[in-house]
Amino acid sequence: MGAERRTTWLAVRQPLPPGRAAAVKLCSFFLPLAAWCVISYVPFVWHPNVRITDPGDSEFLTEGQQLPKEQFTAENAKLTREGSQPAKGYPANPIFLPAPHEVARAMVNAFTTPPAFKSDPWLHQSLWKSVQVVFWSFLLSAVIAVPIGLLAGTFEVVGKLTEPFTDFVRYMPPPAFGPLMIAIFGIDDAPKVAIIFIGTFFPLVLVVANTTRLLDPALIEAAQTLGASRRRIVTRVVLPGVLPNLYNDLRIALGVSWVYLTVAQLIGASSGISWFINQQGKYRKFDNVFAGILVIGLIGLVTDQFLQYLARVLFPYQAKPGHGASRAVLRGCWSIVRTAGDLLRGAVLARGGCGHLLARRPGAAADVARGAVVEEVRDVPVS
Amino acid sequence: MSPSLEIPDYREQSPEVAERFRRIYERPVVMEVRDLHKRFRAAAGSEVEALRGVSFDVHRREFVCVIGPSGCGKSTLVRMLAGLDAPSEGHILVDGKEVDGPCPERGMVFQGYTLFHWLTVRRNVMFGLEAKGVGRDKAEADARFWIDMVGLTPFLDAYPHQLSGGMKQRVAIARALATQPRVLLMDEPFGALDAQTRSQMQSYLHQIWQNVNVTIVFITHDLDEAIHLADRIVVLAAHPGRIQEIIEVPLPHPRTSEQWADPRFLATRARLDELIHPRAASAERLPLTRMTMVGDDVF
């Protein structure tokens, strides 16, 4: 019997067999989902609280309220002693993490529920608006930054002329330009485009210049010994030589555009996906918040998968197109996680402001569930 | 005493070889290198002398190898011949005209793989022709011819990453030859290849050189390669890079692998070895105590 070589799961820098690789990739989504399900559905894991579904005859319990299990048991014991209707509820965890089915329901509801006011956009309209803003601002910064970066990486005079200043501006946080941009461009989409532009343009120039410099100088020398003119070297050697890496840079920049979109829409916005997330956070409808974040994540994932596929079609001469790509995905995921974190923090802060009012207001919960906008907490655009 | 055991003088030439050299020297000089100096500015204002007073001529259709120990400025020399670096002093003339920057009249094959990886084999070879302004159909026909010459017609539409190292260098040779250079400069083009592929490539190159009207200046650090390929070998010394000797290889053409055992081959090899690896000096440098520590069975 031939000794079959055992494949180990942890081979240093060796590819996994295709089947295992696919399985592990699936797990990368499945495991977090499983963990989420365990926290949400398995009662004994981490459910010290009870969420009230029916307050019964209790005087202080309200629907949707969370309280520690001991207090709930004590209250029900008291109610039973008095012969009145006990409260009903289910075990819950104390963080604002809704269960998967709640988020799924919220996602469907968010798309199917009409807005509370006729003037407000549907969610899919908000989303479309956001996609447009991201697309145009990304396109604008790419169209300007890529040629500058290419020239900066090719000709030292251009590099020395542009990069020090670009490096300086890069350190200025784009949201800090918010009020200024609103003053200049008004309250429509223009200031958002401007903020995303500022956030992506300057890093992109530097990244493209750097990518250009990584091109093997021997290729340029080879072209020179073949008699290529300067112009021909730029258009026929430098540009095609860096194109696959440039493409990856742009994919990453697209991810960054989404991050700055969420920031931009916090400033004087009345539509857009992150405005939706922000509003829902204020109403403590965290199932909607997660639905919104997931929608952004899904858009990112689908776009990125599509762009990766496109790269394989566009650059058939790349021996291994997957390597840079998977790292880009990782960075994309990280930016999504960061955005989610920022929004969640914003939402928790906002809760201190007005969340408790809403919880008490009769009918508020119903409004909120429909994704309605309540006049008191509506963001007043800075003008 | 059998004459085959006698190692002849490497300068002794058979009448056939002597006649060949006489005919070579009658041909016009294609490339003239006159008193070439190259100094690099090192750190703290000091200067490093890479080449000192290098002069030699290359005649038409001649195959000249430049050989020398590492650090002797072989690559610096060929980069200056290509026009990629400027000499500090001295002149390089091609057909009597001073070299001023890179130009397709001096084609170059580099040590590393410098094929344009986004272009197919065909488009790689067409690159220089298109830069020259040759029409697309003519360029395509020429490219086919040169790719056929290096035996890669089945790979016309392959991308470089699909080719082996030897095949890549053959495409690079075809690409450099397609613009019909006066001189083909080769900077250790087979240095990265394994021994078998290298000897295969050497015979390919030799065949191409015999079929094509081209003059070749070939940089190498491999003694056998130099003797096998060259008409003349320019031997450099290091620190600073300078010419030690220009050897006329006393072997007739065409070169075959049987010649590797030829006494004249061995004589030339012995002389090159002496010039490049001076034995006394290298033995002196090795401390004996170190060597005994390598393993118990060494001594």
Side-chain angles (χ1 to χ4, degrees):
Chain A
M1 230 168 84
E4 208 167 287
R5 207 168 141 196
R6 250 187 55 196
T7 46
T8 162
W9 286 93
L10 292 173
V12 176
R13 298 210 54 170
Q14 292 293 314
L16 284 170
R20 281 191 190 178
V24 173
K25 269 189 197 167
L26 274 180
C27 280
S28 116
F29 277 95
F30 181 71
L31 288 180
L33 186 67
W36 187 14
C37 288
V38 166
I39 291 177
S40 304
Y41 298 133
V42 184
F44 50 82
V45 177
W46 188 39
H47 288 77
N49 285 6
V50 171
R51 175 168 287 204
I52 308 298
T53 48
D54 173 15
D57 289 337
S58 169
E59 279 163 18
F60 73 94
L61 294 179
T62 50
E63 194 190 327
Q65 189 187 358
Q66 269 199 33
L67 73 168
K69 209 171 268 172
E70 300 79 41
Q71 290 181 21
F72 176 77
T73 327
E75 175 70 8
N76 264 2
K78 198 185 93 194
L79 288 171
T80 322
R81 259 200 319 277
E82 287 167 1
S84 32
Q85 186 75 30
K88 290 196 185 87
Y90 59 90
N93 60 57
I95 57 164
F96 300 102
L97 186 66
H101 76 273
E102 290 173 323
V103 172
R105 200 175 52 206
M107 217 189 273
V108 174
N109 281 347
F111 280 104
T112 52
T113 317
F117 297 93
K118 277 222 172 94
S119 59
D120 278 337
W122 285 66
L123 179 60
H124 64 87
Q125 288 169 323
S126 284
L127 208 56
W128 180 236
K129 188 101 176 167
S130 296
V131 170
Q132 280 177 312
V133 169
V134 165
F135 177 78
W136 288 113
S137 39
F138 168 75
L139 195 71
L140 187 67
S141 70
V143 160
I144 305 174
V146 168
I148 294 178
L150 270 177
L151 293 176
T154 311
F155 301 109
E156 198 172 346
V157 61
V158 183
K160 289 270 186 291
L161 197 63
T162 54
E163 282 175 272
F165 180 72
T166 310
D167 226 356
F168 167 62
V169 181
R170 190 171 63 108
Y171 280 101
M172 305 177 182
F177 288 91
L180 185 67
M181 290 302 133
I182 287 164
I184 297 172
F185 293 110
I187 54 160
D188 207 13
D189 288 340
K192 288 165 216 148
V193 171
I195 288 170
I196 299 175
F197 180 85
I198 292 170
T200 51
F201 172 81
F202 296 99
L204 198 56
V205 168
L206 297 174
V207 166
V208 171
N210 203 37
T211 299
T212 309
R213 282 195 197 99
L214 290 179
L215 183 72
D216 186 359
L219 290 179
I220 293 166
E221 288 176 347
Q224 284 173 332
T225 61
L226 290 166
S229 64
R230 209 160 31 198
R231 187 192 158 136
R232 206 176 182 80
I233 286 171
V234 174
T235 57
R236 298 290 185 89
V237 180
V238 175
L239 181 60
V242 302
L243 208 55
N245 292 333
L246 197 66
Y247 186 86
N248 272 338
D249 291 346
L250 288 177
R251 268 180 41 210
I252 292 164
L254 185 60
V256 174
S257 299
W258 275 100
V259 175
Y260 286 118
L261 174 85
T262 60
V263 175
Q265 282 182 345
L266 295 182
I267 306 166
S270 55
S271 67
I273 177 68
S274 55
W275 167 81
F276 168 83
I277 294 171
N278 208 34
Q279 290 295 339
Q280 297 305 316
K282 285 176 181 168
Y283 309 147
R284 301 183 69 179
K285 293 301 293 179
F286 294 111
D287 46 354
N288 284 355
V289 168
F290 275 94
I293 292 170
L294 277 181
V295 166
I296 296 183
L298 282 175
I299 291 175
L301 189 71
V302 169
T303 321
D304 212 76
Q305 288 295 316
F306 172 72
L307 290 178
Q308 274 188 50
Y309 164 77
L310 199 66
R312 279 194 285 274
V313 177
L314 288 175
F315 314 117
Y317 48 82
Q318 287 290 94
K320 278 183 192 166
H323 259 58
S326 52
R327 279 183 55 187
V329 171
L330 221 67
R331 281 154 95 165
C333 289
W334 171 231
S335 72
I336 289 168
V337 167
R338 251 182 22 208
T339 314
D342 287 351
L343 282 167
L344 204 64
R345 203 165 56 225
V348 170
L349 285 176
R351 180 177 61 96
C354 45
H356 61 283
L357 288 175
L358 277 167
R360 296 287 177 199
R361 206 172 64 89
D367 277 356
V368 166
R370 275 191 271 117
V373 179
V374 184
E375 214 42 60
E376 300 125 34
V377 292
R378 184 166 194 169
D379 269 354
V380 182
V382 188
S383 51
Chain B
M1 191 158 63
S2 130
S4 66
L5 285 175
E6 220 171 288
I7 297 287
D9 190 327
Y10 71 97
R11 282 164 297 199
E12 245 171 55
Q13 292 171 353
S14 64
E16 186 197 351
V17 172
E19 170 65 15
R20 182 182 159 77
F21 276 109
R22 199 183 57 73
R23 285 211 314 274
I24 286 177
Y25 296 143
E26 275 173 6
R27 294 184 206 146
V29 172
V30 174
M31 184 180 257
E32 211 179 326
V33 180
R34 285 280 154 272
D35 198 27
L36 213 58
H37 290 258
K38 180 69 181 179
R39 286 178 290 270
F40 289 109
R41 205 157 295 251
S46 67
E47 274 192 342
V48 176
E49 195 172 21
L51 283 175
R52 178 189 286 174
V54 171
S55 302
F56 61 94
D57 289 340
V58 182
H59 297 263
R60 229 185 96 199
R61 292 217 56 194
E62 197 182 359
F63 199 128
V64 171
C65 277
V66 178
I67 198 166
S70 56
C72 71
K74 300 185 292 258
S75 285
T76 312
L77 176 63
V78 78
R79 286 180 61 82
M80 288 194 292
L81 298 183
L84 293 168
D85 285 339
S88 308
E89 260 174 66
H91 303 276
I92 301 162
L93 306 171
V94 172
D95 293 329
K97 275 183 297 174
E98 181 95 38
V99 163
D100 177 28
C103 170
E105 76 174 7
R106 282 161 281 117
M108 175 112 169
V109 178
F110 294 81
Q111 181 174 14
Y113 305 126
T114 56
L115 293 186
F116 304 125
H117 54 259
W118 57 95
L119 297 178
T120 59
V121 168
R122 183 205 308 261
R123 299 297 308 250
N124 260 286
V125 178
M126 284 166 70
F127 186 92
L129 297 163
E130 285 174 334
K132 230 177 167 185
V134 176
R136 181 140 187 159
D137 290 347
K138 172 88 170 69
E140 179 132 15
D142 280 12
R144 271 178 181 281
F145 172 82
W146 290 106
I147 292 164
D148 192 43
M149 169 76 72
V150 297
L152 287 177
T153 305
F155 297 93
L156 265 175
D157 293 309
Y159 283 104
H161 80 261
Q162 298 166 306
L163 304 179
S164 69
M167 285 156 114
K168 281 182 201 168
Q169 289 305 64
R170 271 146 75 190
V171 178
I173 292 169
R175 184 177 68 175
L177 287 175
T179 51
Q180 312 225 3
R182 297 289 290 160
V183 184
L184 181 63
L185 305 168
M186 306 183 86
D187 183 8
E188 301 197 33
F190 311 143
L193 305 177
D194 61 84
Q196 261 176 343
T197 316
R198 193 188 307 174
S199 75
Q200 207 176 35
M201 290 294 291
Q202 286 163 4
S203 65
Y204 269 124
L205 180 64
H206 214 263
Q207 284 169 39
I208 292 167
W209 174 64
Q210 281 175 327
N211 293 328
V212 180
N213 180 9
V214 67
T215 311
I216 297 180
V217 175
F218 189 103
I219 310 290
T220 181
H221 63 259
D222 182 331
L223 309 183
D224 298 320
E225 186 169 71
I227 304 168
H228 190 57
L229 292 171
D231 287 316
R232 286 189 300 156
I233 302 172
V234 175
V235 187
L236 297 182
H239 311 297
R242 61 198 185 275
I243 291 183
Q244 287 198 72
E245 189 175 343
I246 298 178
I247 292 176
E248 294 176 341
V249 178
L251 293 168
H253 283 273
R255 301 278 161 81
T256 58
S257 48
E258 284 98 75
Q259 285 172 333
W260 292 57
D262 191 301
R264 289 165 298 184
F265 185 101
L266 297 175
T268 316
R269 199 187 189 290
R271 175 61 182 163
L272 280 177
D273 208 21
E274 198 176 298
L275 288 172
I276 292 169
H277 314 114
R279 210 151 281 151
S282 59
E284 249 169 25
R285 266 189 229 133
L286 283 178
L288 203 61
T289 46
R290 279 265 175 85
M291 292 188 66
T292 52
M293 284 163 67
V294 172
D296 291 335
D297 50 354
V298 171
F299 290 107

